[in-house]
């Protein structure tokens, strides 16, 4: 499966901005090396007008892309939720909206339409780094046993975890310890 559709939309402007800066820096270094190799190059410099030939570029500001009225790819459910922060908001491709548990611990589950192979899990925590311990689990059937796919201590702004290809009917993130009620902005699998 390809990356979740919101990741390329968020990262593409940043990739182009970084690529442009790297290209500009390489061109400056090449020009400087060329000038150093030609000591009599000053005699060949044409006369220029007093107006500058180039302007200094402003720093590139990359704004996050927010999709309006996006629907989650797969149904999301949760152990609990605070008002206005329901489970469905963790799958709407908007990093400003999020699911938040009504309890200090909890889980957020993504149910796939059929048995599918999972190779990547993407999580984005809302509100900083409150989550201190978590486990991503999967199960093969609706009434099957949950098995751990991977576990960690921090999710942070963006966690993309490549996992061995695993068949699953559902995947969930189980919050085992958190400084505050956990909040997940995005949860996706590929």
């Amino acid at each position: 499966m390809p990356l979740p559709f919101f990741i390329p939309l968020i990262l593409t402007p940043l990739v182009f901005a970084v690529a442009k800066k790297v290209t500009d820096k390489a061109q400056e270094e090449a020009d400087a090396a060329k000038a150093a190799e030609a000591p009599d190059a000053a005699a060949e410099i044409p006369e220029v007008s007093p107006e500058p030939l180039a302007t200094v570029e402003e720093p590139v500001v990359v704004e996050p892309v927010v999709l309006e009225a996006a629907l989650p790819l797969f149904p999301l459910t949760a152990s609990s939720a605070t008002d206005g922060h329901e489970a469905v908001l963790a799958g709407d491709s908007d990093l400003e909206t999020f699911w938040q548990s009504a309890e200090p611990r909890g889980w957020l589950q993504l149910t796939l339409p059929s048995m599918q192979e999972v190779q990547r899990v993407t999580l984005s925590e809302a509100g900083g780094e409150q989550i201190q311990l978590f486990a991503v689990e999967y199960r093969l059937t609706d009434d099957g046993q949950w098995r751990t796919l991977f576990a960690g201590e921090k999710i942070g702004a963006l966690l993309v975890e490549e996992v061995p290809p695993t068949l699953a009917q559902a995947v969930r993130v189980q919050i085992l310890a958190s400084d505050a009620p956990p909040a997940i902005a995005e949860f996706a699998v590929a």
Side-chain angles (χ1 to χ4, degrees):
M1 277 188 169
L3 278 172
F5 65 91
F6 66 91
I7 296 296
L9 293 176
I10 293 169
L11 296 180
T12 299
L14 179 61
V15 170
F16 282 120
V18 170
K20 179 167 180 12
K21 287 187 181 216
V22 169
T23 302
D24 291 348
K25 180 73 175 168
Q27 184 63 47
E28 288 174 15
E29 290 173 359
D31 292 345
K34 194 175 192 181
E37 291 176 5
D40 62 337
E44 298 176 18
I45 297 176
E47 215 172 291
V48 294
S49 68
E51 293 183 28
L53 296 176
T55 58
V56 176
E57 289 185 30
E58 294 295 319
V60 176
V61 178
V62 178
E63 299 282 334
V65 176
V66 177
L67 301 177
E68 299 293 327
L71 297 175
L73 294 177
F74 307 113
L76 288 157
T77 54
S79 54
S80 67
T82 58
D83 288 339
H85 298 289
E86 292 76 23
V88 69
L89 297 175
D92 66 354
S93 302
D94 183 346
L95 294 175
E96 299 296 318
T97 63
F98 54 91
W99 161 75
Q100 185 169 31
S101 175
E103 304 160 2
R105 298 169 65 171
W107 52 263
L108 180 63
Q109 178 179 320
L110 190 149
T111 304
L112 303 169
S114 62
M115 184 79 64
Q116 294 189 9
E117 189 175 87
V118 174
Q119 297 180 13
R120 181 181 312 111
V121 177
T122 303
L123 288 162
S124 177
E125 188 175 352
E129 292 188 358
Q130 302 295 324
I131 296 171
Q132 301 302 312
L133 185 63
F134 71 95
V136 174
E137 304 169 323
Y138 72 99
R139 69 179 180 198
L140 300 173
T141 61
D142 286 338
D143 58 352
Q145 176 184 353
W146 288 100
R147 299 175 182 161
T148 302
L149 196 54
F150 69 94
E153 294 180 358
K154 302 265 187 204
I155 292 175
L158 180 63
L159 172 71
V160 178
E161 186 75 23
E162 301 289 333
V163 296
T166 305
L167 286 176
Q169 172 67 42
V171 180
R172 75 177 177 185
V173 58
Q174 178 88 281
I175 310 303
L176 304 171
S178 183
D179 291 339
I184 301 292
E186 292 301 320
F187 178 29
V189 297

